[in-house]
Amino acid sequence: RRRLSVWRYRELLPVRGEPVSLQEGGTPLYHLKNIGKELGIPELYAKHEGMNPTGSFKDRGMTVGVSMARELGMTSVACASTGNTSASLAAYAAKASIPCIVLLPAGKVAIGKVAQALMHGARVISIRGNFDKALEMVHELCISQGLYLLNSVNPYRLEGQKTIGFEAIDQLGGEVPDRMVLPVGNAGNISAVYKGLRELEALGFIDRLPMMTGIQAAGSQPVVKAIEQNLDVLVPESAPETVATAIRIGAPVNAEKALVAIRATGGTAASVTDEEILAMQRDLARKEGIGVEPASAASVAGIRKLAELGLIDRDERIVCVVTGHLLKDPETVVRQCEPPIEIDADLHSLLSASR
Ligand SMILES: Cc1ncc(COP(=O)(O)O)c(/C=C/C(=O)C(=O)O)c1O
């Protein structure tokens, strides 16, 4: 019996040789009993992808992507990132001893992610522009310099991320959830999970698919608009804005795949405000003990909103993917919270402060 991990499913992954692995995957599936009770959804779960080696689901894609880079003899890898992709690529490239360049939107990346990319030894370049601009530029860089691009346009990234759905079903004892909910930025993750579930269906492991549900920030919701307006091609947003900087993406490269995933499964897409995201980040931490970064809370905030709109059957079994760890964006957390109480080091002060 193989441990719950990305490579438990190696027969469904493209890597032939020994993978570049940091023991990714095998993340907890938490039963959200308290929030579920509040929403009247007894079977509400969160798959905590922040419990991966670099603290986000990106590790699942990078273990496959960097393994393939090595198998293909690539001598250098690159990506543009809102932060987590760069943190993960830096770590896996370090593990594989392959030089790595990452492009970040200047001033818009959570400090924990920058720290990771720097410490893992990537060449970190800040672009005076948003993620979409950085992605454009890293394409040009890779073409002109022959670097291997590991954004989610690279299909090997999505191969690894398929395993989120595989694990969730294993953790539910083989049961397929009625709905899987993911925060959507570049739309790679929702597309990857859908692809994997289609493969399980084709192999006869499952006989139905969950309703794939994508949640975006109100200030950055091109996929939601395409669903609402029944478009086949997305209208990019030129100035996406949200406190959830991980999903501050106006022109998602995997949008068409995400629209298929949502429509083919009778799913939906919805947006939540920054306030709703931050409120859910707090609730997950204080009512369930689960620490996530803002973008990750969007999936559960989306379910709260859909439930309030009466669009969720209370007996649905729902898995929300919470995609990154709380520690990624400590500055946003500190801004939201009352500061620590500072006192003189005497018992009297302590007693009055602790009341
Ligand atoms: C915490 C977190 N939650 C959700 C998403 C959205 O996933 P996709 O819809 O597959 O993009 C991201 C994406 C991050 C990047 O795109 C990047 O790191 O460059 C994320 O970091």
Side-chain angles (χ1 to χ4, degrees):
R1 275 188 57 73
R2 290 178 188 166
R3 189 175 66 81
L4 205 58
S5 73
V6 166
W7 297 101
R8 172 185 168 90
Y9 308 104
R10 64 173 311 132
E11 288 79 5
L12 293 173
L13 300 174
V15 176
R16 271 181 299 286
E18 188 58 31
V20 179
S21 174
L22 292 169
Q23 300 183 43
E24 49 290 319
T27 58
L29 181 70
Y30 293 119
H31 187 180
L32 300 185
K33 288 203 175 84
N34 299 326
I35 293 176
K37 191 177 296 161
E38 275 177 20
L39 300 181
I41 305 172
E43 293 290 300
L44 182 63
Y45 296 85
K47 182 123 176 87
H48 194 349
E49 288 299 293
M51 305 294 270
N52 276 296
T54 74
S56 88
F57 71 93
K58 303 288 184 179
D59 294 341
R60 293 178 185 268
M62 286 304 174
T63 185
V64 175
V66 173
S67 297
M68 291 309 295
R70 186 166 67 178
E71 273 187 27
L72 296 166
M74 296 299 150
T75 54
S76 182
V77 293
C79 75
S81 177
T82 60
N84 281 321
T85 295
S86 69
S88 184
L89 179 57
Y92 283 84
K95 174 77 176 175
S97 309
I98 299 177
C100 157
I101 297 180
V102 301
L103 273 54
L104 304 178
K108 287 292 176 185
V109 181
I111 192 73
K113 305 171 185 179
V114 178
Q116 288 178 293
L118 291 171
M119 183 48 73
H120 286 299
R123 165 87 55 91
V124 182
I125 299 171
S126 279
I127 301 281
R128 294 193 189 101
N130 63 20
F131 167 82
D132 301 298
K133 185 65 187 165
L135 185 57
E136 231 175 83
M137 295 186 72
V138 78
H139 266 106
E140 290 155 22
L141 177 72
C142 289
I143 291 165
S144 68
Q145 305 297 311
L147 311 183
Y148 191 60
L149 179 61
L150 269 166
N151 276 92
S152 56
V153 282
N154 185 318
Y156 296 129
R157 275 276 314 279
L158 305 193
E159 287 307 299
Q161 292 170 210
K162 291 181 325 191
T163 57
I164 293 174
F166 299 164
E167 280 186 13
I169 291 173
D170 270 341
Q171 288 169 302
L172 291 172
E175 289 294 319
V176 180
D178 299 298
R179 188 185 299 272
M180 283 197 79
V181 194
L182 299 95
V184 171
N186 230 353
N189 212 23
I190 191 167
S191 306
V193 172
Y194 170 69
K195 179 176 189 284
L197 295 174
R198 273 281 181 240
E199 290 170 1
L200 290 190
E201 183 188 44
L203 290 166
F205 286 109
I206 60 177
D207 56 11
R208 62 186 184 84
L209 262 73
M211 293 177 279
M212 299 306 292
T213 303
I215 307 298
Q216 296 201 292
S220 174
Q221 54 169 312
V223 170
V224 174
K225 286 178 184 157
I227 291 289
E228 284 174 348
Q229 297 159 24
N230 206 15
L231 307 179
D232 283 335
V233 181
L234 192 111
V235 177
E237 290 189 14
S238 57
E241 260 323 325
T242 173
V243 70
T245 51
I247 54 174
R248 184 174 171 268
I249 297 177
V253 294
N254 297 287
E256 280 68 27
K257 291 179 182 170
L259 294 179
V260 168
I262 291 167
R263 289 170 173 151
T265 59
T268 186
S271 65
V272 286
T273 64
D274 282 1
E275 292 68 33
E276 289 165 337
I277 287 173
L278 295 173
M280 183 52 79
Q281 180 188 30
R282 201 168 28 255
D283 281 354
L284 281 164
R286 297 185 180 176
K287 296 176 178 171
E288 303 286 355
I290 299 171
V292 302
E293 69 170 282
S296 312
S299 58
V300 192
I303 285 301
R304 174 179 279 165
K305 183 163 225 170
L306 290 171
E308 284 164 0
L309 292 171
L311 297 174
I312 301 283
D313 288 346
R314 302 309 190 193
D315 60 2
E316 281 183 28
R317 172 176 286 152
I318 301 175
V319 173
C320 295
V321 182
V322 291
T323 43
H325 200 282
L326 182 156
L327 289 170
K328 292 280 190 167
D329 189 354
E331 288 173 324
T332 298
V333 169
V334 170
R335 266 201 309 275
Q336 304 308 317
C337 297
E338 288 299 313
I341 306 164
E342 192 171 306
I343 60 166
D344 293 332
D346 64 74
L347 189 59
H348 173 71
S349 304
L350 178 56
L351 290 177
S352 60
S354 57
R355 246 192 291 284

